[in-house]
Amino acid sequence: MGRSLVVEADGGSRGNPGVAGYGALVRDAESGEVLARRAAPLGKASNNVAEYSGLIAGLAAAVQIDPAARIEVRMDSKLVIEQMAGRWKIKHEDMKRLALQAQEIVRALKVAGGSVDWGWIPRDKNKDADALSNDGMDGRTIMQNLWETTGSDAFDADDAGAGESADEGVAGRAAAPDPADAPGAAADAEAAVPPPPSKAPTRILLVRHGVTDFTVEGRLDGRGGPNPDLNEQGRAQAKAVAAGIRAKVGDRQVRFVASDLSRAQDTIRHAAEAAGVELHIDPDWDEQNFGSWDGELVRDLVQHQDFRRLRDDETYAAPGGGETHAELVERVREALLRTIESSPDGGVAVVATHRKPIMVVLADILGLDLAHAWLLAVAPGSFTGIEVWTDGHGSISFVNDTNHLRIPPQQ
């Protein structure tokens, strides 16, 4: 039976849409003790987007405390509560995206044996979360893990800066490099707390490549295939990515790494050039090889039973020289280890890669099997922030951050 927790969340916008921020906290349900506090600015956004962002941050913090927790969510937004409970429809695209992220956290929680109850409360009963959301609107980023006695936050308040992601992820135990590691290890609350590290972790910003024509058309585009370039939208995303990297990295030393595929390299080339550093190419960060299916429309392939095997069976390879998921995992783990070993002490590694390699890294940290790893959303041009130690332990500070893509880059 998981720990009983209460998530209180809120968000606000001064102008609706206007200067926005979110706030959330997690309490022990029995004692009322505050275990975690979260707040961050969102730039220009609506009240509803800010409220959903607070919910995501609160859920993520609760799952970080206990991946199998019994959670009661309390918010003064009746809209968010009713939509998440499934009683009201979601029409706005930004809210659909954020609701999906919240639902993915809930699904992973339920798989681990946890639960979530949704409850509306009056505004005067939600003052603590409201105060934190005002901190976010004032430009403050707060990531306090008050229950921890070891380890460190992945991106603390000094690291985050204005514009830190609302799409915080879940911290947990990374699967050790041995592929025989038990996939359900992250569900163990004791295993979720890593031992004291022998050296500082490596901070890694994973960037999914920008949009190509294949992305728009819904075609498979793995390694060994047509290797499409960024289209006009993707090139605009690359400029926004460069600005977003500058905001997150600041003055730290940074190493830029990209897969061997052109769309990944072109997504962070602007950022590397602006930093005056070399862009290193590592083919092990490439997308999975889909064999003869490369370039095919996914909507045509989903009808085939073999294609479904590719999603569910880690030992299955697409016809025509495709790569199994297990083979992909092995090379991505090697790429991650090289990235850790070659990154500057106290600096950041920025890695431009693809959906499935990012999925592999997150699934390793969370201990997810292949079927549940597919629930992780990683949009084109998005950021995912992690910290990883050389012994394989890691934590996730945010997933699928696309805030920078909503702000036009400075010319």
Side-chain angles (χ1 to χ4, degrees):
M1 187 71 70
R3 187 171 182 175
S4 294
L5 302 173
V6 174
V7 170
E8 299 172 15
D10 200 4
S13 173
R14 295 166 181 163
N16 198 27
V19 175
Y22 70 76
L25 57 96
V26 182
R27 299 183 189 274
D28 181 90
E30 295 182 3
S31 67
E33 178 187 3
V34 176
L35 305 176
R37 299 169 72 244
R38 299 285 188 267
L42 292 171
K44 185 177 181 180
S46 68
N47 273 324
N48 295 145
V49 165
E51 288 164 343
Y52 262 108
S53 299
L55 170 63
I56 292 168
L59 286 173
V63 176
Q64 187 176 354
I65 295 168
D66 185 348
R70 291 173 292 135
I71 299 173
E72 179 186 353
V73 175
R74 299 174 183 173
M75 297 182 68
D76 58 53
S77 171
K78 192 170 185 64
L79 177 72
V80 173
I81 291 296
E82 293 298 317
Q83 287 179 339
M84 289 302 301
R87 293 185 288 265
W88 291 4
K89 292 183 178 180
I90 307 175
K91 297 181 180 180
H92 193 278
E93 287 303 317
D94 280 346
M95 290 165 64
K96 284 182 180 179
R97 175 181 61 82
L98 293 168
L100 178 61
Q101 292 174 29
Q103 289 161 0
E104 288 170 349
I105 297 174
V106 172
R107 278 195 290 268
L109 179 83
K110 290 181 177 178
V111 167
S115 63
V116 179
D117 292 322
W118 307 97
W120 175 83
I121 56 174
R123 184 173 296 276
D124 61 2
K125 300 292 186 182
N126 202 33
K127 291 182 179 179
D128 291 336
D130 177 70
L132 284 167
S133 72
N134 275 284
D135 285 330
M137 285 183 277
D138 289 339
R140 294 185 61 199
T141 297
I142 299 171
M143 293 185 68
Q144 290 185 329
N145 293 342
L146 304 175
W147 80 95
E148 288 187 331
T149 58
T150 61
S152 62
D153 285 340
F155 280 70
D156 60 24
D158 291 335
D159 297 331
E164 179 64 278
S165 169
D167 306 334
E168 283 186 272
V170 185
R173 175 189 180 276
D178 183 356
D181 236 10
D188 186 331
E190 292 184 0
V193 181
S198 59
K199 60 175 291 187
T202 298
R203 298 183 174 190
I204 299 178
L205 186 65
L206 297 168
V207 184
R208 185 182 172 190
H209 67 81
V211 168
T212 71
D213 288 342
F214 274 37
T215 314
V216 175
E217 295 166 5
R219 297 181 184 275
L220 287 180
D221 52 352
R223 83 187 311 190
N227 193 18
D229 292 327
L230 297 178
N231 62 15
E232 183 177 355
Q233 180 186 359
R235 291 189 291 273
Q237 287 176 334
K239 293 181 180 179
V241 163
I245 291 172
R246 286 196 298 273
K248 288 195 178 294
V249 171
D251 296 330
R252 291 190 193 86
Q253 284 188 296
V254 59
R255 178 180 174 85
F256 286 89
V257 182
S259 85
D260 196 38
L261 303 178
S262 61
R263 58 189 181 276
Q265 297 176 36
D266 291 343
T267 297
I268 63 167
R269 194 180 304 280
H270 290 291
E273 291 174 350
V277 297
E278 180 183 357
L279 175 58
H280 300 273
I281 308 304
D282 187 341
D284 281 346
W285 282 110
D286 286 359
E287 181 60 281
Q288 187 175 7
N289 188 327
F290 299 116
S292 60
W293 289 344
D294 235 318
E296 296 294 320
L297 291 167
V298 174
R299 67 170 179 265
D300 294 337
L301 292 171
V302 292
Q303 308 303 321
H304 300 293
Q305 184 175 355
D306 284 346
F307 184 72
R308 292 195 291 273
R309 285 186 64 192
L310 186 68
R311 293 182 61 94
D312 301 329
D313 184 351
E314 66 177 14
T315 65
Y316 179 77
E323 184 179 25
T324 69
H325 182 76
E327 291 169 337
L328 172 68
V329 169
E330 183 176 358
R331 67 171 167 85
V332 170
R333 282 175 173 166
E334 290 294 326
L336 181 62
L337 182 59
R338 281 195 299 276
T339 300
I340 295 170
E341 292 175 342
S342 59
S343 296
D345 291 339
V348 180
V350 176
V351 179
T353 181
H354 309 264
R355 184 191 176 191
K356 286 212 66 180
I358 295 174
M359 191 176 89
V360 166
V361 173
L362 296 179
D364 258 9
I365 292 176
L366 295 171
L368 298 179
D369 59 21
L370 177 57
H372 294 103
W374 283 106
L375 300 176
L376 296 165
V378 185
S382 65
F383 293 158
T384 292
I386 66 172
E387 277 192 343
V388 186
W389 284 264
T390 53
D391 63 0
H393 285 87
S395 63
I396 304 169
S397 50
F398 52 87
V399 175
N400 200 29
D401 174 7
T402 57
N403 288 326
H404 55 287
L405 300 181
R406 296 195 290 269
I407 304 173
Q410 297 294 319
Q411 299 298 323

